[in-house]
Amino acid sequence: MSDNDITDIAKVIAVGPDVIEVEVSSTEEYQTRDVQLEIGSYVQISDDNDSCLIAIVQSFRVKDALSRQDDDELPTVKFVLSLQPVGRLEDGVFKRGGKQITIPPRRVEIASKSLLEEIYSAVEPEKRFSFGQLVQDENISVHLDGDKFFGKHIGVVGSTGSGKSSTVAAILQEGIRPSTGQTEAGKLNNSHVIIFDLHGEYRSAFPDARAIGVDELKLPYWMMNSEELEEMFIESNEQNSHNQVSQFRNAVIENKKKYAGASGSKISYDSPIYFSLEEVINYLTHLNTEVISKAPGDGNLPKFRDDGALVVDRSLHYFEMPRAFVEQSTSAAAKASNGPFNGEFNRFLMRLEGRRNDRRLDFLLAPRNPTGEEYKTDDLSELLSQFMGYGKTKSNVTILDLSGIPFEVLSVVVSLITRLIFTFNFHFKKHRTKGAQELPYLLVYEEAHNYIPQSEGAKYGTVKRAIERIAKEGRKYGISLMIVSQRPSEISETVFSQCNNFVAMRLTNPADQRYVKRLLPDNLGAITDALPSLERQEAIIIGDSVTVPSIVKVNSIVNLPDSHDINFRTEWKHDWLDVEIPDVIENWQG
């Protein structure tokens, strides 16, 4: 009998499709054994037909005590273990699921260290990826299938203080680690990670990454598509918003054609082609003051006052500086009336000018290259390179520091960058030679509940659609998502339901616990019931990439994110801090 064999004091008393009950007949005898069982421990149950199930201890209960014949002795206490099957052993190889054992099972053993090592190493060596050890035995590394982990969308959830940011950093640091040959040759591997960093905390975790803040980011407005432009400039709840949309769209298309020249015939509203926002505002200003001449011979066309010129083609004149039209008149000889949009765009034009004059939005509405000129269509390659890891300096990780971006345009910025990466990879794969090297991107959305919420609303419509499209179609084009949040119940279910792998840390909110349990691909109460009681840096891993759902202790890392909380009581004990308030205000205003 092996040291782990407890068959003589344990027997199977009930077998169901999702639970197996094992009765331990003597607590005293069990305590003398050099074995230990706890919630989450693994047990091996065998029968006479060489079938072997692996199960996890889900719970236990004390059974009614039985008195011994000798009244002077204390009663014998029994307890019953509830086990949840997770897989089976076939010819020494662990596999998920599988047939039941024959009744009654003959042997009950606590899974040995060698068996656990075999289970957690059942991944092809070249695909192995690990960022933690088994909580029950920290000498056993939990190996995942790296292709299945990064190649399918990932959900990382956990309450504040659970170690979520450092876990994300540990996962990514291990994932992008170069091979020995690449390290020796000084080469970059082909990993591509873009982190949407809402609080600016990941720069310290990736010293070699390209970090782009609001001062470095160049994201010209003309790269936006129709939805992003309209979210940026148009109030959808205004009474005449349909007129604003139609005429703004027309002005943008005509202006793009103007700057595209001979190639303008194929241009659409969504084409990433330069247009002048100033000229579009001029166009709408003309429409807003337009007067139609109905004098004989004028053909019911708009007419300028200064030289009496008729406007046959609006795109030839309306992009220029605004000019005055003839005055409205009711006289028979020079009858003139307001154009169809006269006075319609007063509030719209004020909003456009307000946006354009907001210096916080210069990275969107007035970005300039090093020579002080506007970015134009020919600069699209340079603009894409800045956040795709290319350009003059290449990097496996690009950190988009969103902490300095005004919240009212945050969703537009995330939507635009997400969509550009998807569109680029779509065309890259479409024109890639069959069998050629792929270009896989992992997009990491920190605090994702801030811009892809569960609730519906025009404010987040564009970014939700952009991310949901990648959730549903992205893997075909080499793009996967990592959705990171402390409030998973507030995130779009369309996005979360597409995740095939979850790293779930401590969750204290009951609504979040229920939501995550409902989304998890495995119904394992023995694992998921631990959500509220996990320690810091402990995580449940469930999904296609892991051999068996597990609770792991995440590896400690040297380069940590700058996400530590302020220790209030400790700071309050220090001497008074004299703050130079004018210096802070100067930085604030600057």
Side-chain angles (χ1 to χ4, degrees):
M1 184 174 67
S2 70
D3 294 337
N4 292 334
D5 195 337
I6 56 173
T7 302
D8 59 329
I9 59 171
K11 65 177 180 178
V12 176
I13 59 173
V15 177
D18 298 317
V19 65
I20 297 174
E21 290 193 344
V22 173
E23 180 185 84
V24 178
S25 59
S26 173
T27 302
E28 293 176 349
E29 178 67 22
Y30 166 75
Q31 290 173 339
T32 65
R33 302 293 179 92
D34 188 22
V35 294
Q36 187 176 18
L37 279 172
E38 57 187 29
I39 303 298
S41 292
Y42 293 83
V43 175
Q44 178 178 340
I45 302 172
S46 310
D47 61 16
D48 289 336
N49 295 328
D50 296 325
S51 292
C52 181
L53 278 182
I54 304 298
I56 296 178
V57 178
Q58 182 175 8
S59 63
F60 74 93
R61 69 179 188 273
V62 176
K63 196 174 182 181
D64 293 340
L66 299 176
S67 299
R68 298 183 182 178
Q69 292 181 354
D70 188 345
D71 295 335
D72 295 332
E73 294 187 27
L74 293 174
T76 300
V77 177
K78 296 183 178 183
F79 61 94
V80 177
L81 300 172
S82 292
L83 312 178
Q84 197 159 16
V86 294
R88 67 192 188 281
L89 282 178
E90 287 187 1
D91 299 324
V93 178
F94 178 81
K95 294 182 180 180
R96 295 282 293 275
K99 61 183 180 179
Q100 293 288 341
I101 51 179
T102 58
I103 299 174
R106 298 298 183 188
R107 192 165 61 255
V108 179
E109 299 173 81
I110 299 173
S112 65
K113 181 178 179 180
S114 60
L115 175 59
L116 291 176
E117 287 177 337
E118 186 174 336
I119 290 174
Y120 285 108
S121 298
V123 178
E124 296 177 42
E126 65 274 10
K127 295 184 179 183
R128 283 181 188 170
F129 161 73
S130 175
F131 59 89
Q133 291 76 42
L134 195 63
V135 164
Q136 287 81 10
D137 189 339
E138 294 190 12
N139 294 315
I140 299 175
S141 292
V142 176
H143 291 282
L144 285 69
D145 185 315
D147 284 346
K148 291 181 179 178
F149 185 76
F150 290 110
K152 297 183 178 181
H153 308 314
I154 308 161
V156 181
V157 298
S159 300
T160 300
S162 62
K164 185 170 69 275
S165 297
S166 55
T167 295
V168 170
I171 292 171
L172 297 179
Q173 287 175 11
E174 184 61 32
I176 67 171
R177 191 183 304 280
S179 65
T180 303
Q182 290 167 335
T183 304
E184 293 173 350
K187 296 179 180 179
L188 289 177
N189 60 25
N190 195 38
S191 57
H192 303 273
V193 178
I194 300 176
I195 304 175
F196 292 83
D197 186 3
L198 195 63
H199 301 301
E201 59 189 23
Y202 282 94
R203 293 182 186 232
S204 57
F206 300 93
D208 297 328
R210 180 170 188 184
I212 306 174
V214 67
D215 294 330
E216 298 87 21
L217 183 62
K218 307 299 179 187
L219 210 58
Y221 58 87
W222 52 263
M223 298 167 70
M224 297 181 189
N225 67 3
S226 55
E227 291 182 330
E228 292 151 359
L229 284 168
E230 289 165 15
E231 180 177 325
M232 183 79 181
F233 295 119
I234 295 173
E235 289 287 349
S236 60
N237 58 356
E238 285 188 1
Q239 186 175 3
N240 65 346
S241 61
H242 59 286
N243 287 334
Q244 295 177 21
V245 169
S246 65
Q247 295 311 307
F248 182 73
R249 176 190 296 262
N250 183 61
V252 168
I253 293 173
E254 292 301 319
N255 202 249
K256 285 185 176 185
K257 289 179 179 178
K258 171 184 173 181
Y259 283 96
S263 60
S265 60
K266 296 182 179 180
I267 285 177
S268 71
Y269 193 10
D270 292 333
S271 301
I273 302 294
Y274 172 79
F275 71 91
S276 168
L277 182 59
E278 180 180 2
E279 293 184 8
V280 166
I281 293 175
N282 290 343
Y283 187 100
L284 295 171
T285 301
H286 278 114
L287 285 181
N288 197 53
T289 57
E290 190 178 63
V291 175
I292 305 298
S293 174
K294 295 184 179 179
D298 284 352
N300 292 337
L301 294 173
K303 190 174 185 179
F304 289 124
R305 181 190 306 172
D306 50 11
D307 60 2
L310 293 170
V311 180
V312 178
D313 184 351
R314 288 181 172 87
S315 64
L316 295 178
H317 301 283
Y318 280 22
F319 292 130
E320 301 168 358
M321 289 298 294
R323 296 166 62 183
F325 290 91
V326 294
E327 294 182 5
Q328 183 179 7
S329 171
T330 57
S331 64
K335 187 175 182 181
S337 61
N338 291 337
F341 303 107
N342 190 292
E344 283 278 302
F345 301 146
N346 291 332
R347 295 179 63 183
F348 184 28
L349 288 167
M350 289 174 61
R351 186 163 54 253
L352 285 169
E353 288 289 357
R355 290 285 200 195
R356 193 169 63 142
N357 294 328
D358 189 342
R359 296 279 70 87
R360 300 175 306 155
L361 305 182
D362 279 355
F363 72 99
L364 278 173
L365 304 184
R368 295 289 187 269
N369 63 24
T371 62
E373 298 175 341
E374 271 192 282
Y375 285 100
K376 299 288 183 68
T377 305
D378 291 342
D379 300 313
L380 184 57
S381 176
E382 177 187 343
L383 293 166
L384 286 174
S385 297
Q386 67 179 316
F387 48 78
M388 294 188 70
Y390 289 88
K392 294 180 181 178
T393 56
K394 297 179 176 61
S395 176
N396 296 120
V397 178
T398 300
I399 300 171
L400 295 171
D401 185 350
L402 306 178
S403 58
I405 291 178
F407 192 75
E408 60 264 31
V409 298
L410 176 64
S411 62
V412 172
V413 170
V414 176
S415 170
L416 175 54
I417 296 175
T418 298
R419 182 182 54 79
L420 288 172
I421 295 166
F422 177 84
T423 306
F424 181 89
N425 265 37
F426 172 83
H427 289 287
F428 171 82
K429 183 150 189 176
K430 188 176 179 181
H431 296 95
R432 181 181 64 91
T433 305
K434 188 175 182 180
Q437 192 170 348
E438 300 282 2
L439 185 65
Y441 273 88
L442 174 66
L443 308 186
V444 182
Y445 296 92
E446 257 285 348
E447 302 294 356
H449 54 275
N450 283 286
Y451 36 84
I452 44 174
Q454 180 78 265
S455 58
E456 296 295 332
K459 180 175 177 58
Y460 300 102
T462 58
V463 66
K464 282 183 67 175
R465 281 187 286 273
I467 297 177
E468 285 176 356
R469 185 181 184 190
I470 290 181
K472 291 183 282 189
E473 305 175 33
R475 288 183 294 172
K476 293 184 290 187
Y477 304 107
I479 304 177
S480 61
L481 305 174
M482 179 183 284
I483 306 298
V484 185
S485 177
Q486 59 179 290
R487 292 307 312 272
S489 61
E490 296 181 4
I491 290 181
S492 163
E493 191 165 339
T494 301
V495 173
F496 247 150
S497 63
Q498 296 294 322
C499 292
N500 292 80
N501 297 285
F502 284 88
V503 179
M505 311 191 76
R506 184 177 68 251
L507 283 171
T508 54
N509 186 290
D512 291 327
Q513 295 171 18
R514 290 192 297 269
Y515 183 75
V516 169
K517 287 180 181 180
R518 184 161 57 87
L519 287 176
L520 292 178
D522 289 275
N523 181 25
L524 286 173
I527 296 291
T528 56
D529 287 346
L531 277 173
S533 58
L534 293 172
E535 295 183 9
R536 181 179 174 83
Q537 292 298 107
E538 288 185 355
I540 298 171
I541 304 178
I542 291 181
D544 295 347
S545 63
V546 64
T547 308
V548 59
S550 309
I551 303 177
V552 303
K553 181 72 173 178
V554 178
N555 293 338
S556 298
I557 56 176
V558 175
N559 296 321
L560 289 164
D562 185 16
S563 59
H564 64 277
D565 295 328
I566 294 174
N567 298 316
F568 272 65
R569 179 62 174 155
T570 301
E571 292 297 327
W572 283 356
K573 287 183 177 180
H574 292 164
D575 292 339
W576 180 267
L577 176 64
D578 286 320
V579 176
E580 295 295 333
I581 294 179
D583 292 345
V584 176
I585 292 176
E586 182 180 355
N587 182 60
W588 180 0
Q589 293 174 333

